[in-house]
Amino acid sequence: AGETADAASDDGSARAPTAIYANAIVLEREDDGHFYADVAVNGRPITMLVDTGASGVALSAEDARDAGIATTIGMSQHIGEGAGGAVYGDLVRIDRISLGGTEVRDLSGVVLRGGETSLLGQDFLRQ
């Protein structure tokens, strides 16, 4: 739960209350315009692109390997459609993802064939 604080603007008039949360995590926008979070996937540190438009969590093959998540050899399962057409990979279970004081256990996710950047989507963010 958050607290609110009234703040005065430079001219002395009151602004709308600002929410202050004790366990807030602040991410800075990077030079490429995106937000990244340093998370732990199954206890292994991984930098993930925060993707509020993604419903789930998607891992690169390298990050999945680092986190001890097994994939099939060809990762040939059709798992969705992207801007460039069909997306292939493996559906997986992720034991745990941690960011700051938040840990989410037993998440479904995907490992993307050919993906270079792991994505942190709403399945984690809404927690």
Side-chain angles (χ1 to χ4, degrees):
E3 299 175 12
T4 59
D6 290 325
S9 65
D10 291 338
D11 66 4
S13 63
R15 290 187 301 202
T18 302
I20 302 169
Y21 296 94
N23 294 324
I25 297 169
V26 177
L27 302 173
E28 299 292 328
R29 184 185 307 265
E30 297 296 326
D31 291 339
D32 64 2
H34 296 289
F35 293 88
Y36 296 87
D38 294 319
V39 303
V41 177
N42 297 342
R44 301 291 301 184
I46 294 175
T47 299
M48 299 182 81
L49 172 70
V50 177
D51 188 348
T52 59
S55 58
V57 172
L59 298 171
S60 70
E62 181 180 349
D63 287 344
R65 236 184 340 271
D66 288 347
I69 298 171
T71 60
T72 61
I73 292 174
M75 289 196 292
S76 58
Q77 183 177 358
H78 179 244
I79 58 173
E81 295 293 323
V87 176
Y88 296 93
D90 282 343
L91 298 174
V92 297
R93 296 300 300 175
I94 302 168
D95 291 334
R96 66 189 188 282
I97 298 178
S98 304
L99 173 60
T102 300
E103 180 176 89
V104 179
R105 293 184 165 270
D106 194 32
L107 273 173
S108 59
V110 297
V111 178
L112 300 173
R113 181 176 78 189
E116 295 179 10
T117 303
S118 293
L119 307 174
L120 191 62
Q122 289 296 331
D123 284 352
F124 179 85
L125 297 173
R126 72 171 154 252
Q127 305 295 325

